[in-house]
Amino acid sequence: MGCFSFIKVMMILFNMLIFLCGAALLAVGIWVSVDGPSFMKIFGPMSSSAMQFVNVGYFLIAAGAVLFALGFLGCYGAHTESKCALMTFFFILLLIFIAEVAAAVVALVYTTLAENLLMAVVVPNIKKEYGSQKDFTQVWNSTMAGLKCCGFTNYTDFEGSPYVRMNGTFPPYCCYNSVNHSFVEPCNSVNAHNMSVQGCFKQLLYDIRTNAVTVGGVAAGIGGLELAAMIVSMYLYCNLE
């Protein structure tokens, strides 16, 4: 019983932490949805690059809600010794774990497919809104400045955009000379083609692969915690009368 009580207390404390993290993610998600530009100013170019591919606000709200519910179920199940709550906690965590493994496999094996799907969504938005929609333009400018990239694939993504129609040139980031760290002017199609600045999607993938050890370590740590939580919840479930 001493071991059971210790694991029960650890389960409560662990899920209380998950509960608080979920509440924090919910708050940040609502903040991003309401005031995205201030979020980008604080968290820099990586946050703005992420906002090109997913709606960060809704993503954080969804993730926060799931963690919030998981934390509540874990705390409630362990504290009240409710078999129903513990089993629900276990199955939700199992589904999340399976989804994460599946997503990782798809991301690794079908990177090109993911790029094509995103391209079909992102590029038309660039052509339609870059230069006319202030927040959208600011997000892309922050991304390109931070990652030293141009568009989703390259400078051709901006052809026909309001920015090009108004200025007659491409964004200066598309003519960045990485050798002498300067911008070639004017940033017309000839100079943009000669500079061959890489698209932001490939640059983001490159940055992730460069830090593969860190990314892999974080993913392994999260997976380990999820497995441990599932084992503990099942142990409590099996030892309840």
Side-chain angles (χ1 to χ4, degrees), residues 23-78:
L25 282 178
L26 272 172
V28 173
I30 294 170
W31 169 33
V32 174
S33 298
V34 173
D35 190 14
S38 65
F39 173 81
M40 288 184 296
K41 288 178 184 177
I42 293 174
F43 290 98
M46 286 302 290
S47 64
S48 62
S49 62
M51 291 181 76
Q52 307 308 319
F53 312 120
V54 294
N55 189 314
V56 174
Y58 293 140
F59 176 78
L60 291 177
I61 289 173
V66 171
L67 289 178
F68 191 86
L70 270 177
F72 173 79
L73 280 172
C75 281
Y76 176 80

Side-chain angles (χ1 to χ4, degrees), residues 20-241:
L20 293 174
C21 287
L25 282 178
L26 272 172
V28 173
I30 294 170
W31 169 33
V32 174
S33 298
V34 173
D35 190 14
S38 65
F39 173 81
M40 288 184 296
K41 288 178 184 177
I42 293 174
F43 290 98
M46 286 302 290
S47 64
S48 62
S49 62
M51 291 181 76
Q52 307 308 319
F53 312 120
V54 294
N55 189 314
V56 174
Y58 293 140
F59 176 78
L60 291 177
I61 289 173
V66 171
L67 289 178
F68 191 86
L70 270 177
F72 173 79
L73 280 172
C75 281
Y76 176 80
H79 179 67
T80 62
E81 299 185 354
S82 167
K83 281 194 168 186
C84 180
L86 287 172
M87 186 53 69
T88 304
F89 173 86
F90 174 84
F91 275 115
I92 291 176
L93 207 51
L94 179 62
L95 288 174
I96 292 172
F97 183 78
I98 293 172
E100 288 172 348
V101 172
V105 171
V106 170
L108 289 172
V109 178
Y110 299 106
T111 302
T112 302
L113 176 62
E115 180 180 4
N116 290 335
L117 290 174
L118 286 169
M119 189 188 304
V121 175
V122 176
V123 174
N125 282 336
I126 293 176
K127 293 182 182 295
K128 179 182 178 182
E129 298 185 354
Y130 186 83
S132 62
Q133 214 283 335
K134 183 179 178 182
D135 290 344
F136 183 86
T137 303
Q138 184 180 354
V139 167
W140 269 105
N141 287 342
S142 298
T143 301
M144 294 188 290
L147 296 179
K148 302 295 185 294
C149 58
C150 169
F152 184 84
T153 51
N154 55 39
Y155 74 95
T156 59
D157 295 345
F158 296 98
E159 291 178 344
S161 67
Y163 180 91
V164 172
R165 291 201 303 269
M166 286 187 293
N167 297 283
T169 60
F170 293 94
Y173 312 102
C174 297
C175 293
Y176 179 73
N177 189 328
S178 59
V179 177
N180 55 23
H181 306 290
S182 63
F183 295 98
V184 177
E185 295 181 348
C187 191
N188 51 35
S189 57
V190 175
N191 287 330
H193 177 76
N194 290 337
M195 289 298 101
S196 299
V197 178
Q198 187 164 243
C200 293
F201 182 80
K202 291 190 183 301
Q203 186 61 42
L204 187 60
L205 284 180
Y206 173 79
D207 289 348
I208 291 173
R209 285 166 181 162
T210 301
N211 299 283
V213 175
T214 303
V215 174
V218 171
I222 292 173
L225 284 175
E226 289 172 345
L227 282 173
M230 285 189 284
I231 291 170
V232 169
S233 64
M234 188 53 64
Y235 172 83
L236 292 176
Y237 176 88
C238 292
N239 283 274
L240 288 175
E241 295 180 358

